[in-house]
Amino acid sequence: MTRALTALARWQTARPWAFVAAAIAITLGSAPLVASLTLNSDLIALLPENVQAVRDLHAIQARFTAPQSFSLLVWSDDAEGRKRFVEDLAPRLLELEDQGVLAVDFTVGHYGDFVQEHRHLYLPYDDLVEARDALERLRDYEACRANPFCVLLDDEPPSIEDQLAEHEGQAQRDNYLTHRYPDGLYRHPDGQSVAVFVRTDIRGGAQDRVLALIAAVEGVVDSMDRDAYPPDIRVEYGGAVLEMNEEQQSVARAAAWATVITLGLVMLAVFVFYRRGRAIVLLPLGLVPAVALTFAFAELFVDYLNASSAFLSSIVIGNGVNSHIIWLARYFERRRAGEAPGDAVRSAHLGTWTATLAAAGAAGIAYASLTVTDFRAFRDFGIIGGVGMILCWAASLLFTPVLACLWDRWRPIVADGPEPAKAKANLYGRVLSKLALGSPRVVLAITALLCVASVWAIQGWVRDDPTEYDFRNLQSQRPDGPLQRINARIGRSVFESTHGSALAVMAAGPADAVSVREQLEATAREHPHVLGAIRDVNHLLPSDQARKLPVLREVRDLMLELRRHADAPTQARIDRELPPEDLRELVAEDLPEQIARPFIERDGTRGSIVYVEHGEGRSQSDGRYLVEWTEAVRAPRNLDGSPVAVAGTVPVMADLVSAIRTDGPKAVALSFFATVLLLVVTFGSMRARVLTLASHLVGIVWMVALMAALGMKVNFLNFVALPITFGNGVDYGVNVMRRYLDERPGKTAREAADAAIRETGGAVTLCSLTTIIGYMALYTSPNQAVNSFGAAMSISEITCVAAAVIALPAALAISERRS
């Protein structure tokens, strides 16, 4: 390897512009792929295809349109004018098929007409029996009154006119939909606004289609002739489509800001450390090809970024710059010592490649360990992060040295003598050396005490279950704006099954759906606070039809008998209210398509789906309840014993909780064993391996204990911090140990440890600082789960670098004395 690196240094010194051309070619070649890399902020994008929530969603989408809603809230004090506006607007919105509009849902009026047409079947059974008995008494009374020999002993029963008036409109009043919406529109309880739902098949990730739909709907609304309607008509927009758009834009803005802030703060830290302006130019230019190629790779092999991987640009920069910092620190050191640029490049290559490769390899393996999980949020993060670490390391050997040489030709570094060079040893190194080696036994005693306290804190934390179940702490945290206010109002205007927040349960067929509904109703009776209202297509049909039909036939016959005794106006009224002769039991296929649409499959089959609302008084932000709700809804079986499919946001969140428990330990175990293997390969000495690993484990124990002390909870994103820390955190111990071994020949252990910490400790600390900056930049995201990941990783950086630059050098000095 020495020969290869010597040759590389010679080529870089002799033909620097060839390497620059290669860097430019890589960057420009990657640019189109990076530009086409999209963002999908949908929660489904975090889960793999084999998770039940995703499988169920695909199964339901194959049979149902499973639309999202773009909602409109129409305001006016003039109810009639508002109704005319909505009725004129809806057909025009329905013409937007090219923008993905499947349907426009604005009224239950079709259902009201249907209920009116079949009003006799919608009357309650007990009321029908009561009406029949009253008609029988009236018939007997009229017959007795017509018979001169009959003596009337009872009071005169209500006339048929009174009985007809009593039941007139009762079907409309008793039906839950027509009673809730008397004018047929989705009116808010305060009567000031109505909701219109534009149904579309657009989901998260299709940002171009989302923006096109928003523009098209707003264009249709703006084109309405406002002079034909009340002057106070106004329209506000909400619904899932706008929520997706807002979340998508928020994540994209936050990711961009995170990258910019990371670059700015990293360059500031680099300038303070090196005190050379050239460093803040060389490092970012050396990183550009590697970062560009990383995200070009992501476009080819990952397809899109999700809510967790969207922020990897700042992480790759903050973490990937470490090998560049170590290389540049060694190059500056050798140039100050008087070596020529070519010799300094060779010395930097030979002096850093093992440690930086081991560190980058450990970080890459830590990221790659996430790819063995089924959880897509972990897997994508691991693929991009792992590739990014290796590419950034390669760039530190290929491109940063060339840029350093070219700058040296323009502005050569002035060599210092041995004493001035020592005097110029960085401040970080001098402070760290004093902390670690001033009283190494005291340092190790404090380290041991902290480890004991940490283990005690961790066991209590684990015993109490540190999983984050309050999903409000995982959502995007924004002040309540117009969209949140509008959606809340729309939610109060309709039932959950209309608004889209209910769970959709798909059975194998209509007969299976009846059985599934009965099983769910049984569960609701046993556990009344787990499941809320349960609705299937039969809830739109009259109940007890088989019992009602014989009674209605008797009512018809009685009304025809009484018609003979009525005057002409009453006869006309009887004719209007008379149950039809061909009265039959209604089925799902009789319902108007507009109202039955949520229950209609692509092939026209009706009645295979059941909607289940959440339990009264239960919060949809409670992770434990969401798991309980999901399990209860998934429990029913079809008639053949096969499971049902359940779709909705809730199963996705429930499966995210399960993924932490199943996939997290696998990633941690693989990352740990990979790190151990890497240390075995990197160091030939067992003592070096054990001490480096021990200092790393100390840092991880401190990290978890600090998370416990701060009351942090584990969620689907910050759990990634643990496997990543096994790779990222060992970086610092590896570099300190590697420099110690290089300095050891001809020096005492204390002198070698002092030299290592003075020369490498500062660079290692800077590496940690740049990485922390990358993670802290995640606080630009409004999403609290992303924030918690940044916090966990920042904690891990602080504890691991402290163990590497303070505890490890102290242990080296003490262990050598004993030897």
Side-chain angles (χ1 to χ4, degrees), residues 357-368:
L357 176 59
I365 290 172
Y367 284 112

Side-chain angles (χ1 to χ4, degrees), residues 467-476 496 501 614-615 617-629 649-650 653-654 657 784:
T467 306
E468 178 62 85
Y469 290 108
D470 187 349
F471 285 175
R472 288 172 299 184
N473 296 329
L474 305 180
Q475 299 169 352
S476 292
E496 288 186 11
S501 56
H614 75 284
R618 303 299 294 271
S619 171
Q620 295 193 55
S621 298
D622 182 353
R624 288 186 178 88
Y625 169 64
L626 295 190
V627 172
E628 185 181 10
W629 186 17
T649 302
V650 171
M653 299 300 289
V657 173
Q784 296 177 84

Side-chain angles (χ1 to χ4, degrees), residues 4 77 131 135 171 175 256 285 319 340 396 403 448 458-459 514 531 602 605 630 688 716 727 731 776 783 787:
D77 293 332
L135 289 171
N175 184 269
L285 288 180
N319 207 343
S396 72
L403 297 171
I458 291 169
Q459 64 87 22
V514 174
L531 302 182
R602 295 180 187 273
T605 302
T630 301
F716 68 90
D731 179 338
M776 292 304 293
N783 187 276
N787 298 161

Side-chain angles (χ1 to χ4, degrees), residues 307-392:
S308 67
S309 59
F311 295 88
L312 270 168
S313 55
S314 63
I315 295 173
V316 169
I317 292 171
N319 207 343
V321 75
N322 291 354
S323 53
H324 296 252
I325 289 173
I326 297 295
W327 188 95
L328 203 58
R330 185 65 67 91
Y331 176 79
F332 286 162
E333 176 191 329
R334 301 321 303 159
R335 286 288 289 128
R336 289 198 308 269
E339 290 187 5
D343 294 334
V345 169
R346 177 181 179 279
S347 296
H349 283 350
L350 295 176
T352 63
W353 81 269
T354 306
T356 55
L357 176 59
I365 290 172
Y367 284 112
S369 69
L370 301 175
T371 64
V372 303
T373 68
D374 294 326
F375 191 23
R376 179 158 187 166
F378 288 3
R379 191 197 68 196
D380 291 0
F381 202 99
I383 292 173
I384 300 172
V387 170
M389 292 304 98
I390 298 303
L391 290 177
C392 286

Side-chain angles (χ1 to χ4, degrees), residues 518-789:
E518 292 171 349
Q519 294 174 62
L520 289 168
E521 288 171 344
T523 301
R525 287 191 295 271
E526 295 176 11
H527 308 284
H529 298 296
V530 176
L531 302 182
I534 301 167
R535 307 183 192 279
D536 65 0
V537 72
N538 292 307
H539 280 76
L540 299 173
L541 295 170
S543 60
D544 297 323
Q545 293 189 72
R547 298 173 64 200
K548 290 177 181 178
L549 284 173
V551 178
L552 283 169
R553 293 190 184 100
E554 294 180 56
V555 169
R556 173 182 169 81
D557 293 340
L558 289 167
M559 291 178 70
L560 288 175
E561 286 187 47
L562 291 169
R563 188 180 186 279
R564 296 198 304 267
H565 304 287
D567 55 23
T570 303
Q571 287 181 347
R573 190 169 184 180
I574 289 173
D575 292 342
R576 290 196 303 271
E577 300 299 329
L578 189 68
E581 184 177 6
D582 59 348
L583 205 61
R584 62 176 177 80
E585 191 169 340
L586 298 177
V587 294
E589 285 68 26
D590 295 318
L591 290 166
E593 181 180 352
Q594 294 86 344
I595 199 68
R597 186 176 292 114
F599 304 95
I600 301 176
E601 298 183 41
R602 295 180 187 273
D603 64 1
T605 302
R606 300 186 179 197
S608 299
I609 204 160
V610 181
Y611 292 97
V612 184
E613 298 181 7
H614 75 284
E616 185 176 358
R618 303 299 294 271
S619 171
Q620 295 193 55
S621 298
D622 182 353
R624 288 186 178 88
Y625 169 64
L626 295 190
V627 172
E628 185 181 10
W629 186 17
T630 301
E631 290 175 349
V633 173
R634 283 174 173 170
R637 292 294 181 264
N638 293 304
L639 294 175
D640 62 359
S642 60
V644 297
V646 180
T649 302
V650 171
V652 175
M653 299 300 289
D655 285 349
L656 285 176
V657 173
S658 300
I660 296 174
R661 297 177 175 176
T662 56
D663 287 350
K666 290 192 294 186
V668 171
L670 179 60
S671 178
F672 173 73
F673 287 116
T675 301
V676 171
L677 180 61
L678 193 71
L679 291 176
V680 170
V681 173
T682 303
F683 299 115
S685 163
M686 180 59 69
R687 175 170 167 272
R689 297 168 185 163
V690 171
L691 286 177
T692 305
L693 180 61
S695 72
H696 183 43
L697 292 178
V698 165
I700 290 176
V701 169
W702 289 350
M703 164 204 170
V704 179
L706 191 52
M707 290 177 64
L710 294 173
M712 293 181 65
K713 296 289 188 179
V714 176
N715 60 55
F716 68 90
L717 195 51
N718 68 15
F719 194 93
V720 179
L722 203 52
I724 292 178
T725 297
F726 274 110
N728 280 3
V730 79
D731 179 338
Y732 312 122
V734 166
N735 278 289
V736 171
M737 179 62 74
R738 183 74 268 166
R739 187 60 184 261
Y740 169 82
L741 295 175
D742 288 345
E743 297 286 345
R744 186 65 179 86
K747 296 180 180 178
T748 66
R750 188 182 184 87
E751 290 172 343
D754 182 63
I757 202 65
R758 284 178 179 273
E759 295 297 340
T760 302
V764 163
T765 303
L766 177 61
C767 289
S768 179
L769 178 59
T770 60
T771 305
I772 290 172
I773 288 170
Y775 288 125
M776 292 304 293
L778 299 184
Y779 270 85
T780 58
S781 170
N783 187 276
Q784 296 177 84
V786 174
N787 298 161
S788 70
F789 170 69

Side-chain angles (χ1 to χ4, degrees), residues 63-194:
R63 289 171 55 185
F64 290 86
T65 53
Q68 298 282 348
S69 293
F70 181 6
S71 307
L72 288 74
L73 202 59
V74 182
W75 295 76
S76 177
D77 293 332
D78 185 344
E80 287 300 320
R82 182 179 62 202
K83 185 174 183 179
R84 282 189 295 105
F85 179 84
V86 170
E87 290 174 342
D88 293 344
L89 174 65
R92 300 181 64 177
L93 293 174
L94 195 56
E95 295 174 1
L96 301 177
E97 295 181 6
D98 293 343
Q99 277 70 41
V101 173
L102 303 174
V104 178
D105 185 6
F106 71 98
T107 179
V108 296
H110 303 287
Y111 184 58
D113 296 339
F114 180 80
V115 170
Q116 178 62 26
E117 181 183 353
H118 303 282
R119 57 192 177 279
H120 308 95
L121 283 169
Y122 279 95
L123 289 170
Y125 175 76
D126 291 340
D127 289 356
L128 283 175
V129 171
E130 182 182 336
R132 179 199 62 190
D133 295 345
L135 289 171
E136 285 180 343
R137 289 193 296 271
L138 182 60
R139 178 199 61 187
D140 295 342
Y141 176 84
E142 293 293 344
C144 185
R145 193 175 65 169
N147 185 348
F149 300 102
C150 182
V151 178
L152 294 170
L153 300 177
D154 297 329
D155 295 335
E156 181 179 356
S159 67
I160 191 167
E161 292 90 343
D162 293 338
Q163 293 190 43
L164 290 174
E166 180 182 351
H167 294 289
E168 187 175 9
Q170 184 176 356
Q172 296 279 2
R173 292 192 300 273
D174 289 346
N175 184 269
Y176 78 99
L177 270 180
T178 54
H179 176 71
R180 173 71 175 78
Y181 307 113
D183 63 354
L185 301 182
Y186 294 118
R187 188 177 64 181
H188 189 274
D190 65 13
Q192 295 181 355
S193 64
V194 296

